[in-house]
Amino acid sequence: MLSRRYGERVARQDPFIPRSTDPRVQRSRAAVIATALELLTERGIAATTIEAVSERSGVARTTIYRQWPGQAELVLDAFAAVLRPPADPDTGTLRDDLVELTTGLARALSTGPAAGLMLALMDAAEREPSYAALHRREAELRHAVILDVITRGIRRGELPAGTDPAEVLDLIAGPIFHRRTVSQGTVDPAFAARVVDRVLLAYRHP
Amino acid sequence: MLSRRYGERVARQDPFIPRSTDPRVQRSRAAVIATALELLTERGIAATTIEAVSERSGVARTTIYRQWPGQAELVLDAFAAVLRPPADPDTGTLRDDLVELTTGLARALSTGPAAGLMLALMDAAEREPSYAALHRREAELRHAVILDVITRGIRRGELPAGTDPAEVLDLIAGPIFHRRTVSQGTVDPAFAARVVDRVLLAYRHP
DNA sequence: GCGTAACGCTACGCGAGTGTAGCGAAAACT
DNA sequence: AGTTTTCGCTACACTCGCGTAGCGTTACGC
């Protein structure tokens, strides 16, 4: 299972390919993905077997095999179904944009469906190339929004010219992740705002 | 395997219990733990089976079962064997203490034996109580050193009175973790120093 | 309405890993 | 030197999940 090699199907399943408008297909597909996400959250990647998904979802095992080559492809599809980049808030000020995005990240990591999934994906990405690719793609999409916001802030003069947007990103998103996954503290909007304000303060005085 | 319940043996294996001075026991124990760590790094927790450890280490499967009840206990012992808290650098200044600790963290996450293990432990901690306990204990030991350093800095007046040490910790350690695991950038001493200086700057002006 | 496609179900062989038992050989303690 | 402990090995029964094949039934599309 873990030594499976990932074929071309994984490579080209970018968002994902419906390929069939038959409501029966879409129904079973949706049920399978939803159940897979449940199992991923509750028990992790390794325990999210086709067997287990079939049993809980009520969709026959053979039906699942008709739509996915194997466990890895199904899990990747499930991940892809929840990892959505945030919208650009564009409030007008860098501070409010960042607070908005950071609050969203904090919420996603605490209560959202992706809460328990992020670490599973990150861990899998350490070893399995296809998970690494998905993780990279997801991070890039999410970061693109944040980097845009920061770059806009620099252009407006809310951050000094020459500021490295990627560094600001790490300084802001990092503490949220860290508090959630290592310090095990609460990551609420107040904490998110505190982080943003503190980091912006660090750039105010050269 | 993943649904195993963890008995009392896990609970009381705090550092770990030699319980035997027989060199044969210690030899096989060491070989097994070393191999388990290799497999954990290369393939993750789920693939680190007793079977696989036995095959690679050359230690018979039955011998492993004589010393550990099952896979979970062995993996926990292996984790516990590498997670060591850093020493207090105590250079005299907060800045240098933090740079030292942060550089050490960056190195540990990039090149050390714990590099590929941290995420595996964090992910497992999301679902399995015994892994969560180990992760918490490890984080507490590591954080205790950092919090000491920060508190000392506050007492010396290098940070404003009333500063929350835990917040400073998240602000400094967070970006290191984030850059390593999400942004996928390089976490070298230069980056570590940049983070420390930037965060300290944020507290210089109230 | 009629043909087709997807469904659920059963069945089968297979591999991997688990956990236990018994045995002779070798190494360690005393 | 003699006893005890640990070791490696073989064997066994068992579970879980994989992946495929065939078949009757149901629900869709035209």
Short mmCIF file of all heavy atoms in Angstrom, two decimals, chain C residues 4-27:
data_model
loop_
_atom_site.label_atom_id
_atom_site.label_comp_id
_atom_site.label_asym_id
_atom_site.label_seq_id
_atom_site.Cartn_x
_atom_site.Cartn_y
_atom_site.Cartn_z
P DT C 4 -27.44 -1.48 -26.26
OP1 DT C 4 -26.61 -1.24 -27.47
OP2 DT C 4 -27.69 -2.85 -25.79
"O5'" DT C 4 -26.84 -0.62 -25.06
"C5'" DT C 4 -27.01 0.79 -25.09
"C4'" DT C 4 -26.60 1.39 -23.76
"O4'" DT C 4 -27.66 1.20 -22.77
"C3'" DT C 4 -25.34 0.75 -23.14
"O3'" DT C 4 -24.55 1.79 -22.62
"C2'" DT C 4 -25.91 -0.12 -22.03
"C1'" DT C 4 -27.08 0.72 -21.57
N1 DT C 4 -28.15 0.02 -20.81
C2 DT C 4 -28.67 0.60 -19.68
O2 DT C 4 -28.32 1.69 -19.28
N3 DT C 4 -29.66 -0.13 -19.06
C4 DT C 4 -30.14 -1.37 -19.45
O4 DT C 4 -31.04 -1.94 -18.80
C5 DT C 4 -29.54 -1.94 -20.63
C7 DT C 4 -29.99 -3.26 -21.13
C6 DT C 4 -28.57 -1.22 -21.25
P DA C 5 -22.97 1.62 -22.54
OP1 DA C 5 -22.33 2.40 -23.62
OP2 DA C 5 -22.68 0.17 -22.38
"O5'" DA C 5 -22.67 2.34 -21.16
"C5'" DA C 5 -23.46 3.47 -20.78
"C4'" DA C 5 -23.65 3.48 -19.27
"O4'" DA C 5 -24.74 2.58 -18.91
"C3'" DA C 5 -22.43 3.01 -18.48
"O3'" DA C 5 -22.22 3.92 -17.42
"C2'" DA C 5 -22.81 1.63 -17.98
"C1'" DA C 5 -24.33 1.79 -17.81
N9 DA C 5 -25.05 0.52 -17.89
C8 DA C 5 -24.82 -0.51 -18.76
N7 DA C 5 -25.65 -1.53 -18.60
C5 DA C 5 -26.46 -1.13 -17.55
C6 DA C 5 -27.54 -1.76 -16.90
N6 DA C 5 -28.00 -2.97 -17.24
N1 DA C 5 -28.13 -1.08 -15.90
C2 DA C 5 -27.68 0.12 -15.58
N3 DA C 5 -26.68 0.83 -16.12
C4 DA C 5 -26.11 0.13 -17.11
P DA C 6 -20.82 3.97 -16.71
OP1 DA C 6 -20.27 5.32 -16.90
OP2 DA C 6 -20.05 2.77 -17.07
"O5'" DA C 6 -21.23 3.82 -15.17
"C5'" DA C 6 -22.22 4.68 -14.62
"C4'" DA C 6 -22.89 3.98 -13.47
"O4'" DA C 6 -23.61 2.83 -13.98
"C3'" DA C 6 -21.92 3.44 -12.41
"O3'" DA C 6 -22.19 4.08 -11.17
"C2'" DA C 6 -22.18 1.94 -12.35
"C1'" DA C 6 -23.55 1.80 -13.01
N9 DA C 6 -23.72 0.53 -13.71
C8 DA C 6 -22.95 0.01 -14.71
N7 DA C 6 -23.35 -1.16 -15.14
C5 DA C 6 -24.47 -1.44 -14.38
C6 DA C 6 -25.36 -2.52 -14.36
N6 DA C 6 -25.24 -3.58 -15.16
N1 DA C 6 -26.38 -2.48 -13.47
C2 DA C 6 -26.48 -1.42 -12.66
N3 DA C 6 -25.71 -0.33 -12.59
C4 DA C 6 -24.72 -0.40 -13.49
P DC C 7 -21.41 3.74 -9.88
OP1 DC C 7 -21.44 4.93 -9.02
OP2 DC C 7 -20.14 3.13 -10.29
"O5'" DC C 7 -22.33 2.62 -9.20
"C5'" DC C 7 -23.62 2.99 -8.75
"C4'" DC C 7 -24.40 1.76 -8.35
"O4'" DC C 7 -24.51 0.89 -9.50
"C3'" DC C 7 -23.70 0.90 -7.30
"O3'" DC C 7 -24.11 1.31 -6.01
"C2'" DC C 7 -24.21 -0.51 -7.61
"C1'" DC C 7 -24.75 -0.42 -9.02
N1 DC C 7 -24.07 -1.35 -9.98
C2 DC C 7 -24.66 -2.58 -10.26
O2 DC C 7 -25.72 -2.88 -9.68
N3 DC C 7 -24.06 -3.44 -11.12
C4 DC C 7 -22.91 -3.07 -11.71
N4 DC C 7 -22.36 -3.93 -12.57
C5 DC C 7 -22.31 -1.81 -11.44
C6 DC C 7 -22.91 -0.99 -10.57
P DG C 8 -23.27 0.86 -4.76
OP1 DG C 8 -23.57 1.79 -3.66
OP2 DG C 8 -21.88 0.67 -5.22
"O5'" DG C 8 -23.87 -0.58 -4.42
"C5'" DG C 8 -25.26 -0.74 -4.20
"C4'" DG C 8 -25.56 -2.21 -4.04
"O4'" DG C 8 -25.27 -2.89 -5.29
"C3'" DG C 8 -24.71 -2.91 -2.97
"O3'" DG C 8 -25.54 -3.74 -2.17
"C2'" DG C 8 -23.68 -3.70 -3.77
"C1'" DG C 8 -24.42 -4.00 -5.07
N9 DG C 8 -23.54 -4.12 -6.23
C8 DG C 8 -22.56 -3.24 -6.62
N7 DG C 8 -21.93 -3.61 -7.71
C5 DG C 8 -22.53 -4.81 -8.07
C6 DG C 8 -22.28 -5.67 -9.16
O6 DG C 8 -21.44 -5.55 -10.06
N1 DG C 8 -23.13 -6.78 -9.15
C2 DG C 8 -24.09 -7.02 -8.21
N2 DG C 8 -24.80 -8.13 -8.36
N3 DG C 8 -24.35 -6.21 -7.17
C4 DG C 8 -23.53 -5.12 -7.17
P DC C 9 -24.96 -4.47 -0.89
OP1 DC C 9 -26.06 -4.59 0.08
OP2 DC C 9 -23.70 -3.81 -0.50
"O5'" DC C 9 -24.62 -5.92 -1.46
"C5'" DC C 9 -25.61 -6.62 -2.20
"C4'" DC C 9 -25.01 -7.92 -2.74
"O4'" DC C 9 -24.29 -7.64 -3.96
"C3'" DC C 9 -24.02 -8.60 -1.79
"O3'" DC C 9 -24.56 -9.86 -1.40
"C2'" DC C 9 -22.74 -8.75 -2.60
"C1'" DC C 9 -23.20 -8.52 -4.04
N1 DC C 9 -22.18 -7.89 -4.90
C2 DC C 9 -21.72 -8.54 -6.04
O2 DC C 9 -22.19 -9.65 -6.32
N3 DC C 9 -20.79 -7.95 -6.83
C4 DC C 9 -20.31 -6.75 -6.49
N4 DC C 9 -19.40 -6.19 -7.30
C5 DC C 9 -20.76 -6.06 -5.32
C6 DC C 9 -21.68 -6.66 -4.56
P DT C 10 -23.86 -10.69 -0.21
OP1 DT C 10 -24.92 -11.31 0.58
OP2 DT C 10 -22.84 -9.83 0.43
"O5'" DT C 10 -23.08 -11.82 -1.02
"C5'" DT C 10 -23.70 -12.43 -2.15
"C4'" DT C 10 -22.69 -13.28 -2.89
"O4'" DT C 10 -21.93 -12.43 -3.80
"C3'" DT C 10 -21.68 -13.99 -1.99
"O3'" DT C 10 -21.69 -15.37 -2.28
"C2'" DT C 10 -20.34 -13.32 -2.33
"C1'" DT C 10 -20.57 -12.80 -3.74
N1 DT C 10 -19.78 -11.60 -4.09
C2 DT C 10 -19.09 -11.57 -5.29
O2 DT C 10 -19.11 -12.49 -6.07
N3 DT C 10 -18.40 -10.41 -5.54
C4 DT C 10 -18.32 -9.29 -4.72
O4 DT C 10 -17.66 -8.32 -5.04
C5 DT C 10 -19.05 -9.38 -3.47
C7 DT C 10 -19.01 -8.25 -2.51
C6 DT C 10 -19.74 -10.52 -3.22
P DA C 11 -20.84 -16.40 -1.38
OP1 DA C 11 -21.66 -17.62 -1.25
OP2 DA C 11 -20.34 -15.72 -0.17
"O5'" DA C 11 -19.60 -16.72 -2.32
"C5'" DA C 11 -19.74 -16.63 -3.74
"C4'" DA C 11 -18.36 -16.64 -4.38
"O4'" DA C 11 -17.93 -15.27 -4.63
"C3'" DA C 11 -17.28 -17.29 -3.52
"O3'" DA C 11 -16.67 -18.35 -4.24
"C2'" DA C 11 -16.31 -16.16 -3.21
"C1'" DA C 11 -16.56 -15.19 -4.36
N9 DA C 11 -16.25 -13.79 -4.02
C8 DA C 11 -16.67 -13.09 -2.93
N7 DA C 11 -16.24 -11.85 -2.90
C5 DA C 11 -15.49 -11.74 -4.06
C6 DA C 11 -14.76 -10.67 -4.61
N6 DA C 11 -14.68 -9.46 -4.04
N1 DA C 11 -14.12 -10.89 -5.78
C2 DA C 11 -14.22 -12.10 -6.34
N3 DA C 11 -14.86 -13.18 -5.93
C4 DA C 11 -15.48 -12.92 -4.76
P DC C 12 -15.71 -19.38 -3.50
OP1 DC C 12 -16.00 -20.71 -4.05
OP2 DC C 12 -15.76 -19.14 -2.04
"O5'" DC C 12 -14.27 -18.93 -4.01
"C5'" DC C 12 -14.03 -18.79 -5.41
"C4'" DC C 12 -12.73 -18.06 -5.63
"O4'" DC C 12 -12.93 -16.65 -5.37
"C3'" DC C 12 -11.62 -18.51 -4.69
"O3'" DC C 12 -10.66 -19.27 -5.41
"C2'" DC C 12 -11.03 -17.22 -4.14
"C1'" DC C 12 -11.70 -16.11 -4.93
N1 DC C 12 -11.99 -14.88 -4.13
C2 DC C 12 -11.42 -13.66 -4.52
O2 DC C 12 -10.72 -13.63 -5.52
N3 DC C 12 -11.66 -12.56 -3.78
C4 DC C 12 -12.43 -12.64 -2.68
N4 DC C 12 -12.65 -11.52 -1.99
C5 DC C 12 -13.02 -13.87 -2.28
C6 DC C 12 -12.76 -14.96 -3.01
P DG C 13 -9.53 -20.05 -4.58
OP1 DG C 13 -9.32 -21.37 -5.21
OP2 DG C 13 -9.81 -19.95 -3.14
"O5'" DG C 13 -8.28 -19.14 -4.91
"C5'" DG C 13 -8.10 -18.61 -6.22
"C4'" DG C 13 -6.99 -17.59 -6.20
"O4'" DG C 13 -7.48 -16.36 -5.59
"C3'" DG C 13 -5.79 -18.03 -5.37
"O3'" DG C 13 -4.59 -17.72 -6.08
"C2'" DG C 13 -5.91 -17.24 -4.06
"C1'" DG C 13 -6.61 -15.97 -4.53
N9 DG C 13 -7.42 -15.32 -3.51
C8 DG C 13 -8.23 -15.91 -2.56
N7 DG C 13 -8.82 -15.06 -1.77
C5 DG C 13 -8.38 -13.81 -2.21
C6 DG C 13 -8.67 -12.51 -1.73
O6 DG C 13 -9.41 -12.18 -0.80
N1 DG C 13 -8.00 -11.54 -2.47
C2 DG C 13 -7.17 -11.79 -3.52
N2 DG C 13 -6.62 -10.74 -4.10
N3 DG C 13 -6.88 -13.01 -3.97
C4 DG C 13 -7.52 -13.96 -3.27
P DC C 14 -3.18 -18.14 -5.47
OP1 DC C 14 -2.29 -18.44 -6.60
OP2 DC C 14 -3.39 -19.11 -4.38
"O5'" DC C 14 -2.68 -16.77 -4.80
"C5'" DC C 14 -2.71 -15.57 -5.57
"C4'" DC C 14 -2.37 -14.41 -4.67
"O4'" DC C 14 -3.53 -14.07 -3.88
"C3'" DC C 14 -1.26 -14.71 -3.67
"O3'" DC C 14 -0.06 -14.09 -4.11
"C2'" DC C 14 -1.76 -14.14 -2.35
"C1'" DC C 14 -3.06 -13.44 -2.71
N1 DC C 14 -4.12 -13.57 -1.67
C2 DC C 14 -4.49 -12.43 -0.94
O2 DC C 14 -3.94 -11.36 -1.18
N3 DC C 14 -5.45 -12.55 0.00
C4 DC C 14 -6.03 -13.73 0.23
N4 DC C 14 -6.98 -13.80 1.17
C5 DC C 14 -5.65 -14.91 -0.49
C6 DC C 14 -4.70 -14.78 -1.43
P DG C 15 1.32 -14.40 -3.36
OP1 DG C 15 2.40 -14.40 -4.36
OP2 DG C 15 1.10 -15.58 -2.49
"O5'" DG C 15 1.50 -13.12 -2.43
"C5'" DG C 15 1.29 -11.83 -2.97
"C4'" DG C 15 1.29 -10.82 -1.86
"O4'" DG C 15 0.06 -10.92 -1.09
"C3'" DG C 15 2.45 -10.98 -0.87
"O3'" DG C 15 3.03 -9.70 -0.66
"C2'" DG C 15 1.79 -11.56 0.38
"C1'" DG C 15 0.37 -11.02 0.29
N9 DG C 15 -0.64 -11.88 0.90
C8 DG C 15 -0.79 -13.23 0.73
N7 DG C 15 -1.80 -13.73 1.40
C5 DG C 15 -2.34 -12.64 2.04
C6 DG C 15 -3.46 -12.56 2.92
O6 DG C 15 -4.21 -13.46 3.30
N1 DG C 15 -3.66 -11.25 3.36
C2 DG C 15 -2.90 -10.18 3.01
N2 DG C 15 -3.24 -9.00 3.53
N3 DG C 15 -1.85 -10.23 2.18
C4 DG C 15 -1.64 -11.50 1.75
P DA C 16 4.40 -9.59 0.19
OP1 DA C 16 5.29 -8.64 -0.50
OP2 DA C 16 4.87 -10.96 0.51
"O5'" DA C 16 3.88 -8.92 1.52
"C5'" DA C 16 3.02 -7.80 1.43
"C4'" DA C 16 2.53 -7.44 2.81
"O4'" DA C 16 1.46 -8.34 3.18
"C3'" DA C 16 3.61 -7.57 3.88
"O3'" DA C 16 3.60 -6.39 4.67
"C2'" DA C 16 3.20 -8.80 4.67
"C1'" DA C 16 1.69 -8.81 4.50
N9 DA C 16 1.08 -10.14 4.57
C8 DA C 16 1.51 -11.28 3.96
N7 DA C 16 0.75 -12.33 4.21
C5 DA C 16 -0.24 -11.83 5.04
C6 DA C 16 -1.35 -12.44 5.65
N6 DA C 16 -1.66 -13.73 5.50
N1 DA C 16 -2.15 -11.66 6.41
C2 DA C 16 -1.84 -10.37 6.55
N3 DA C 16 -0.82 -9.68 6.02
C4 DA C 16 -0.05 -10.48 5.27
P DG C 17 4.78 -6.07 5.68
OP1 DG C 17 5.07 -4.63 5.59
OP2 DG C 17 5.84 -7.08 5.46
"O5'" DG C 17 4.13 -6.35 7.11
"C5'" DG C 17 2.95 -5.65 7.46
"C4'" DG C 17 2.28 -6.36 8.60
"O4'" DG C 17 1.78 -7.62 8.12
"C3'" DG C 17 3.21 -6.71 9.79
"O3'" DG C 17 2.83 -5.93 10.90
"C2'" DG C 17 3.04 -8.20 9.98
"C1'" DG C 17 1.76 -8.51 9.22
N9 DG C 17 1.72 -9.87 8.71
C8 DG C 17 2.58 -10.46 7.82
N7 DG C 17 2.29 -11.71 7.56
C5 DG C 17 1.16 -11.96 8.32
C6 DG C 17 0.40 -13.15 8.46
O6 DG C 17 0.56 -14.24 7.92
N1 DG C 17 -0.66 -12.96 9.35
C2 DG C 17 -0.94 -11.79 10.01
N2 DG C 17 -1.99 -11.80 10.83
N3 DG C 17 -0.23 -10.68 9.90
C4 DG C 17 0.80 -10.84 9.04
P DT C 18 3.46 -6.20 12.35
OP1 DT C 18 3.44 -4.91 13.06
OP2 DT C 18 4.72 -6.95 12.18
"O5'" DT C 18 2.42 -7.19 13.05
"C5'" DT C 18 1.04 -6.84 13.08
"C4'" DT C 18 0.26 -7.94 13.77
"O4'" DT C 18 0.31 -9.14 12.96
"C3'" DT C 18 0.79 -8.33 15.15
"O3'" DT C 18 -0.21 -8.05 16.11
"C2'" DT C 18 1.11 -9.82 15.06
"C1'" DT C 18 0.35 -10.26 13.81
N1 DT C 18 1.01 -11.36 13.05
C2 DT C 18 0.49 -12.63 13.13
O2 DT C 18 -0.48 -12.92 13.80
N3 DT C 18 1.16 -13.57 12.38
C4 DT C 18 2.27 -13.36 11.58
O4 DT C 18 2.78 -14.28 10.95
C5 DT C 18 2.76 -12.01 11.55
C7 DT C 18 3.95 -11.67 10.73
C6 DT C 18 2.12 -11.08 12.28
P DG C 19 0.23 -7.59 17.57
OP1 DG C 19 -0.92 -6.94 18.22
OP2 DG C 19 1.53 -6.90 17.49
"O5'" DG C 19 0.46 -9.01 18.26
"C5'" DG C 19 -0.70 -9.81 18.50
"C4'" DG C 19 -0.29 -11.24 18.76
"O4'" DG C 19 0.21 -11.85 17.56
"C3'" DG C 19 0.79 -11.44 19.83
"O3'" DG C 19 0.21 -12.13 20.92
"C2'" DG C 19 1.88 -12.23 19.10
"C1'" DG C 19 1.09 -12.88 17.96
N9 DG C 19 1.91 -13.28 16.82
C8 DG C 19 2.83 -12.52 16.14
N7 DG C 19 3.41 -13.15 15.16
C5 DG C 19 2.85 -14.42 15.20
C6 DG C 19 3.08 -15.55 14.38
O6 DG C 19 3.86 -15.66 13.44
N1 DG C 19 2.29 -16.63 14.77
C2 DG C 19 1.39 -16.62 15.80
N2 DG C 19 0.73 -17.73 16.03
N3 DG C 19 1.16 -15.56 16.58
C4 DG C 19 1.92 -14.51 16.22
P DT C 20 1.10 -12.70 22.12
OP1 DT C 20 0.27 -12.67 23.34
OP2 DT C 20 2.43 -12.08 22.09
"O5'" DT C 20 1.27 -14.24 21.70
"C5'" DT C 20 0.12 -14.97 21.31
"C4'" DT C 20 0.48 -16.43 21.14
"O4'" DT C 20 1.17 -16.62 19.88
"C3'" DT C 20 1.40 -17.00 22.23
"O3'" DT C 20 0.86 -18.23 22.69
"C2'" DT C 20 2.74 -17.18 21.51
"C1'" DT C 20 2.31 -17.42 20.07
N1 DT C 20 3.31 -17.02 19.05
C2 DT C 20 3.64 -17.92 18.06
O2 DT C 20 3.18 -19.03 17.99
N3 DT C 20 4.57 -17.46 17.17
C4 DT C 20 5.18 -16.22 17.14
O4 DT C 20 6.00 -15.91 16.28
C5 DT C 20 4.77 -15.33 18.21
C7 DT C 20 5.37 -13.97 18.29
C6 DT C 20 3.87 -15.76 19.10
P DA C 21 1.55 -18.96 23.94
OP1 DA C 21 0.45 -19.54 24.72
OP2 DA C 21 2.54 -18.06 24.57
"O5'" DA C 21 2.35 -20.13 23.22
"C5'" DA C 21 1.67 -20.99 22.33
"C4'" DA C 21 2.64 -22.03 21.77
"O4'" DA C 21 3.41 -21.43 20.70
"C3'" DA C 21 3.64 -22.56 22.81
"O3'" DA C 21 3.56 -23.98 22.87
"C2'" DA C 21 5.00 -22.09 22.30
"C1'" DA C 21 4.75 -21.84 20.81
N9 DA C 21 5.58 -20.76 20.26
C8 DA C 21 5.71 -19.49 20.72
N7 DA C 21 6.51 -18.74 20.00
C5 DA C 21 6.93 -19.58 18.99
C6 DA C 21 7.79 -19.39 17.89
N6 DA C 21 8.40 -18.24 17.63
N1 DA C 21 8.00 -20.45 17.06
C2 DA C 21 7.39 -21.61 17.34
N3 DA C 21 6.55 -21.91 18.33
C4 DA C 21 6.36 -20.84 19.13
P DG C 22 4.40 -24.75 23.99
OP1 DG C 22 3.57 -25.90 24.41
OP2 DG C 22 4.91 -23.79 24.97
"O5'" DG C 22 5.63 -25.32 23.15
"C5'" DG C 22 5.39 -25.93 21.89
"C4'" DG C 22 6.71 -26.22 21.21
"O4'" DG C 22 7.24 -24.99 20.62
"C3'" DG C 22 7.80 -26.73 22.16
"O3'" DG C 22 8.48 -27.81 21.55
"C2'" DG C 22 8.72 -25.53 22.34
"C1'" DG C 22 8.60 -24.87 20.97
N9 DG C 22 8.95 -23.46 20.95
C8 DG C 22 8.61 -22.49 21.86
N7 DG C 22 9.07 -21.30 21.56
C5 DG C 22 9.76 -21.49 20.38
C6 DG C 22 10.49 -20.57 19.58
O6 DG C 22 10.66 -19.36 19.76
N1 DG C 22 11.03 -21.19 18.46
C2 DG C 22 10.91 -22.52 18.15
N2 DG C 22 11.50 -22.94 17.05
N3 DG C 22 10.24 -23.39 18.90
C4 DG C 22 9.70 -22.80 19.98
P DC C 23 9.44 -28.75 22.43
OP1 DC C 23 9.06 -30.15 22.13
OP2 DC C 23 9.46 -28.26 23.83
"O5'" DC C 23 10.86 -28.47 21.79
"C5'" DC C 23 11.07 -28.72 20.39
"C4'" DC C 23 12.35 -28.03 19.95
"O4'" DC C 23 12.14 -26.60 19.97
"C3'" DC C 23 13.53 -28.28 20.88
"O3'" DC C 23 14.46 -29.16 20.26
"C2'" DC C 23 14.15 -26.91 21.11
"C1'" DC C 23 13.38 -25.98 20.19
N1 DC C 23 13.13 -24.64 20.80
C2 DC C 23 13.71 -23.51 20.21
O2 DC C 23 14.41 -23.64 19.20
N3 DC C 23 13.49 -22.30 20.78
C4 DC C 23 12.74 -22.19 21.88
N4 DC C 23 12.54 -20.99 22.39
C5 DC C 23 12.15 -23.34 22.49
C6 DC C 23 12.37 -24.53 21.93
P DG C 24 15.52 -29.90 21.22
OP1 DG C 24 15.39 -31.34 20.92
OP2 DG C 24 15.43 -29.39 22.60
"O5'" DG C 24 16.89 -29.38 20.59
"C5'" DG C 24 17.06 -29.30 19.19
"C4'" DG C 24 18.07 -28.22 18.88
"O4'" DG C 24 17.53 -26.94 19.30
"C3'" DG C 24 19.42 -28.38 19.61
"O3'" DG C 24 20.48 -28.15 18.70
"C2'" DG C 24 19.35 -27.33 20.72
"C1'" DG C 24 18.49 -26.26 20.08
N9 DG C 24 17.77 -25.40 21.02
C8 DG C 24 17.00 -25.82 22.09
N7 DG C 24 16.47 -24.83 22.76
C5 DG C 24 16.91 -23.68 22.08
C6 DG C 24 16.65 -22.32 22.35
O6 DG C 24 15.96 -21.82 23.24
N1 DG C 24 17.29 -21.50 21.42
C2 DG C 24 18.07 -21.95 20.38
N2 DG C 24 18.61 -21.02 19.59
N3 DG C 24 18.31 -23.22 20.13
C4 DG C 24 17.70 -24.03 21.01
P DA C 25 22.00 -28.18 19.17
OP1 DA C 25 22.79 -28.83 18.10
OP2 DA C 25 22.06 -28.68 20.57
"O5'" DA C 25 22.39 -26.63 19.20
"C5'" DA C 25 22.24 -25.88 17.99
"C4'" DA C 25 22.76 -24.46 18.22
"O4'" DA C 25 21.88 -23.77 19.14
"C3'" DA C 25 24.16 -24.40 18.86
"O3'" DA C 25 24.90 -23.35 18.26
"C2'" DA C 25 23.87 -24.12 20.34
"C1'" DA C 25 22.60 -23.28 20.25
N9 DA C 25 21.73 -23.40 21.42
C8 DA C 25 21.33 -24.55 22.04
N7 DA C 25 20.53 -24.35 23.08
C5 DA C 25 20.39 -22.96 23.13
C6 DA C 25 19.68 -22.11 23.99
N6 DA C 25 18.94 -22.54 25.01
N1 DA C 25 19.76 -20.79 23.77
C2 DA C 25 20.51 -20.36 22.74
N3 DA C 25 21.23 -21.05 21.86
C4 DA C 25 21.13 -22.37 22.11
P DA C 26 26.45 -23.19 18.52
OP1 DA C 26 27.11 -23.05 17.21
OP2 DA C 26 26.89 -24.25 19.47
"O5'" DA C 26 26.53 -21.80 19.27
"C5'" DA C 26 25.82 -20.69 18.74
"C4'" DA C 26 25.67 -19.62 19.80
"O4'" DA C 26 24.72 -20.07 20.80
"C3'" DA C 26 26.96 -19.30 20.56
"O3'" DA C 26 27.14 -17.90 20.57
"C2'" DA C 26 26.72 -19.85 21.97
"C1'" DA C 26 25.21 -19.73 22.08
N9 DA C 26 24.60 -20.65 23.03
C8 DA C 26 24.77 -22.01 23.11
N7 DA C 26 24.08 -22.58 24.08
C5 DA C 26 23.41 -21.52 24.67
C6 DA C 26 22.50 -21.45 25.75
N6 DA C 26 22.11 -22.52 26.45
N1 DA C 26 22.02 -20.25 26.09
C2 DA C 26 22.42 -19.17 25.38
N3 DA C 26 23.25 -19.11 24.34
C4 DA C 26 23.72 -20.33 24.03
P DA C 27 28.60 -17.25 20.83
OP1 DA C 27 28.99 -16.53 19.61
OP2 DA C 27 29.48 -18.28 21.43
"O5'" DA C 27 28.28 -16.20 21.97
"C5'" DA C 27 27.06 -15.47 21.91
"C4'" DA C 27 26.57 -15.18 23.31
"O4'" DA C 27 26.07 -16.39 23.91
"C3'" DA C 27 27.63 -14.64 24.26
"O3'" DA C 27 27.18 -13.41 24.77
"C2'" DA C 27 27.76 -15.72 25.34
"C1'" DA C 27 26.40 -16.38 25.29
N9 DA C 27 26.34 -17.76 25.76
C8 DA C 27 27.07 -18.82 25.32
N7 DA C 27 26.77 -19.96 25.93
C5 DA C 27 25.79 -19.60 26.83
C6 DA C 27 25.05 -20.36 27.79
N6 DA C 27 25.23 -21.67 27.96
N1 DA C 27 24.15 -19.69 28.51
C2 DA C 27 23.98 -18.38 28.32
N3 DA C 27 24.61 -17.56 27.45
C4 DA C 27 25.51 -18.25 26.74
#
